[in-house]
Amino acid sequence: MELSDYDTVFAEAVYTFVQVCRQRGYAPEPVLLADLGRVPGVYTGEVGLGWSFRLKETDELHAVTEGGALYKATRTWRLDRKPSWLQQLSGSSFLIVTSEVQVDKASQLRVGIMNGLLQFLEEERH
């Protein structure tokens, strides 16, 4: 989903999250696709750059790309068949997309995500 697919309030929340992350200088990280059916996972592509946050109620990891796309995500510490650019950029773990999030206006997930975005921005970042 893109920002234009969300309801107005939710789209503004996601857009604001991205803008505040940029303004505060939070470095985005690569958001990747991988085949996690293997151990270790195998790199299959990239979604873009973005930031991760956790839902307060469930502690589930999510990712928001610079374009406003929202995904459920996970982290892995080993990833095979990485391209050379990723080997140079990678830190201790990789942010992997597990599925795109579908949010409707009445869902509890929508509220949880908005709270998670807010909590991320309220935390002290160093």
Side-chain angles (χ1 to χ4, degrees):
M1 293 185 92
E2 297 181 16
L3 281 176
S4 60
D5 296 324
Y6 302 137
D7 69 80
T8 305
V9 172
F10 191 77
E12 287 179 8
V14 172
Y15 176 80
T16 300
F17 175 82
V18 170
Q19 294 306 313
V20 170
C21 285
R22 287 180 178 152
Q23 290 170 358
R24 292 184 181 175
Y26 301 159
E29 64 180 310
V31 180
L32 309 173
L33 296 169
D35 176 0
L36 297 178
R38 301 180 181 186
V39 178
V42 176
Y43 170 88
T44 59
E46 66 178 300
V47 175
L49 295 173
W51 298 268
S52 64
F53 68 97
R54 292 195 175 274
L55 296 188
K56 185 176 183 179
E57 296 81 12
T58 62
D59 201 39
E60 290 177 330
L61 188 66
H62 283 71
V64 175
T65 65
E66 290 181 314
L70 183 63
Y71 299 93
K72 287 186 178 180
T74 190
R75 288 205 176 272
T76 186
W77 281 260
R78 287 196 58 211
L79 194 59
D80 281 348
R81 300 187 195 156
K82 301 182 293 275
S84 59
W85 67 265
L86 184 57
Q87 292 174 10
Q88 296 169 5
L89 294 176
S90 62
S92 60
S93 66
F94 302 95
L95 183 59
I96 307 295
V97 166
T98 57
S99 64
E100 191 170 5
V101 174
Q102 305 294 323
V103 178
D104 65 47
K105 197 170 185 175
S107 75
Q108 187 61 33
L109 178 61
R110 178 183 181 274
V111 173
I113 288 171
M114 289 180 71
N115 288 338
L117 295 173
L118 183 59
Q119 179 182 344
F120 177 92
L121 296 176
E122 288 178 339
E123 291 176 354
E124 288 289 326
R125 310 286 302 179
H126 299 285

